[in-house]
Amino acid sequence: MSTSLAGRIALVTGGSRGIGAETARLLGAAGARVFVNYREKAKRAQRVVDEIARAGGAASAVRADLTDRADVAAMTGEIRDLCGRLDLLVLNASGGMERDVPPDYALRLNRDAQVSLVDAALPLLPPSARIVFVTSHQAHFHGRRPTYDEYEPVAASKRAGEDALRDRIPDLAARGIGLVVVSGDMIEGTITPTLLERARPGIIDARRAEAGSLPTVSEFAAEIVSAATAPLETGHTAYVGGEDYLADRS
């Protein structure tokens, strides 16, 4: 990995598993001091921290339910007290397909919480800081391409979250802060395809046949890390997999 993140401070939301965990590992390998956010699974988050440390990096687990403003304030306060700033904010956490969540949960997490976290982090973000919003093709292209019924609340709310963050670009740019988006096709081995497969058996094989192949967690996480370091214009979208979607790109 490049050492271009040496000395940088990074926060990865939803960092205890899947794409978030692999992104945290890669950031740690690139030299960043990584804060691994989790909501409930402290042991799982600590395993990611320990893996980063064993590889020679530096990391800490930080608990926060992103839909709880007090939790978010405590998390950003902890980062401030320990490091004084935050150079990279990876907005990876999302949800809405879980059982027994309120009807508005997807919108509160995928739109409202993303904006609230950016607001809470602003005092820590210096000029040249970057925010990376992680999304799916089904969300990014929502309204232009059909999505699965089971995923509709997530797709709609994540698109709303992306739009709300893009609305902040002028203010962020005035502060010298960049925003980039990384959008991916269905990612092999992640929780969303697993939940979709339970609801509609065969859906992963069908999408794999349609697309030719699906990105892996490692491939997608590597693109997120690249988006954190590459000389990209604010507002840029990086696409991973799903060539059939890209005729509709914007």
Side-chain angles (χ1 to χ4, degrees):
M1 289 294 299
S2 166
T3 58
S4 61
L5 286 171
R8 299 295 185 93
I9 311 302
L11 169 63
V12 181
T13 66
S16 68
R17 69 178 177 187
I19 294 163
E22 183 63 12
T23 299
R25 294 184 193 101
L26 293 178
L27 290 171
R33 165 75 158 90
V34 186
F35 287 91
V36 178
N37 161 253
Y38 68 97
R39 185 180 58 144
E40 293 178 333
K41 306 296 186 181
K43 291 182 178 179
R44 191 164 62 191
Q46 189 58 46
R47 282 197 294 270
V48 178
V49 167
D50 292 343
E51 289 167 359
I52 293 170
R54 283 196 296 270
S60 300
V62 284
R63 197 205 74 80
D65 178 343
L66 300 185
T67 66
D68 186 318
R69 289 176 182 265
D71 275 8
V72 169
M75 177 175 68
T76 55
E78 182 175 350
I79 295 170
R80 180 197 61 231
D81 292 345
L82 288 172
C83 297
R85 71 179 198 281
L86 182 62
D87 302 298
L88 174 62
L89 173 58
V90 179
L91 298 172
N92 168 73
S94 66
M97 291 185 66
E98 301 89 340
R99 295 177 180 175
D100 302 323
V101 295
D104 66 342
Y105 179 73
L107 195 61
R108 288 196 293 115
L109 176 58
N110 298 329
R111 183 193 65 185
D112 300 345
Q114 309 301 313
V115 175
S116 293
L117 177 53
V118 168
D119 287 342
L122 274 179
L124 299 178
L125 297 172
S128 79
R130 182 166 289 181
I131 300 166
V132 180
F133 180 70
V134 179
T135 191
S136 66
H137 287 351
Q138 293 210 25
H140 180 72
F141 294 101
H142 184 261
R144 287 176 286 168
R145 291 286 300 265
T147 189
Y148 307 112
D149 290 345
E150 297 86 352
Y151 191 67
E152 172 62 26
V154 179
S157 57
K158 284 188 70 67
R159 182 68 232 192
E162 181 179 339
D163 290 341
L165 290 170
R166 287 186 181 277
D167 286 345
R168 297 294 183 92
I169 285 177
D171 177 59
L172 293 171
R175 297 168 179 261
I177 300 166
L179 169 72
V180 297
V181 173
V182 180
S183 177
D185 197 359
M186 190 180 288
I187 308 299
E188 294 274 15
T190 55
I191 187 63
T192 295
T194 299
L195 293 174
L196 285 170
E197 183 72 20
R198 289 176 187 170
R200 195 184 299 192
I203 200 170
I204 297 175
D205 286 342
R207 178 58 194 154
R208 190 183 293 113
E210 183 179 33
S213 64
L214 298 178
T216 66
V217 168
S218 295
E219 290 168 342
F220 193 45
E223 190 62 42
I224 294 169
V225 174
S226 177
T229 58
L232 302 173
E233 291 187 5
T234 190
H236 175 84
T237 304
Y239 299 95
V240 185
E243 294 297 322
D244 53 326
Y245 279 89
L246 301 190
D248 295 323
R249 75 176 66 191
S250 69

